[in-house]
Amino acid sequence: MGMTRIEFHFNAPDKLAYACRLLRKAVGSGARVVVLADGDAVAQLDAQLWTFAPLEFVPHAQQHSAPEVLAASPVVLTDTLGASLPHQDVLLHLGQGEVQGFESFARLIEVVSLDEADRQAARRRWKRYAEQGYELLRHDLQLRETAA
């Protein structure tokens, strides 16, 4: 496998709502995604994935689920990256900290809100990835919404 492809999705008005839409699209295309967020965000995202689109359930599990459930789930929600994760296609990062272990994924998507602290943390991660030689893709969600 080559270097991880890294994308930043900037200016998300609501990170969790955006993550739900992104996960629905990813699962629809056959991707298998690990979502990394802090514990509160994992719980909130878990709840939102059950309710955000009544006719389009996004199958998911939390990291501590039974191994057979994890293996069958296209989306795994976790607050730590560990060896017990069943797939390595896409890592969706909703937190502000550095991501340890992202290199084992084919693709990393960083979602960044309008919050200034979140934006500053994202800039630090962007700089770190660039220093390590990663090619970075930027998606400005505000530009996309204005164009739509």
Side-chain angles (χ1 to χ4, degrees), residues 28-103:
S29 71
R32 297 175 64 78
V33 184
V34 172
V35 180
L36 177 63
D38 68 42
D40 288 344
V42 165
Q44 290 172 22
L45 183 59
D46 183 30
Q48 283 191 28
L49 284 170
W50 284 100
T51 60
F52 92 102
L55 300 176
E56 299 181 67
F57 175 68
V58 176
H60 63 283
Q62 293 205 29
Q63 179 179 13
H64 306 296
S65 300
E68 60 276 8
V69 172
L70 287 175
S73 298
V75 175
V76 175
L77 309 177
T78 185
D79 60 1
T80 55
L81 291 182
S84 63
L85 297 170
H87 37 267
Q88 311 276 288
D89 291 353
V90 180
L91 175 61
L92 178 60
H93 182 226
L94 302 178
Q96 291 186 4
E98 297 283 325
V99 184
Q100 302 299 321
F102 73 88
E103 305 86 356

Side-chain angles (χ1 to χ4, degrees), residues 103-117:
E103 305 86 356
S104 61
F105 289 84
R107 187 170 165 202
L108 168 61
I109 299 174
E110 294 267 7
V111 178
V112 184
S113 71
L114 299 168
D115 176 75
E116 191 55 36

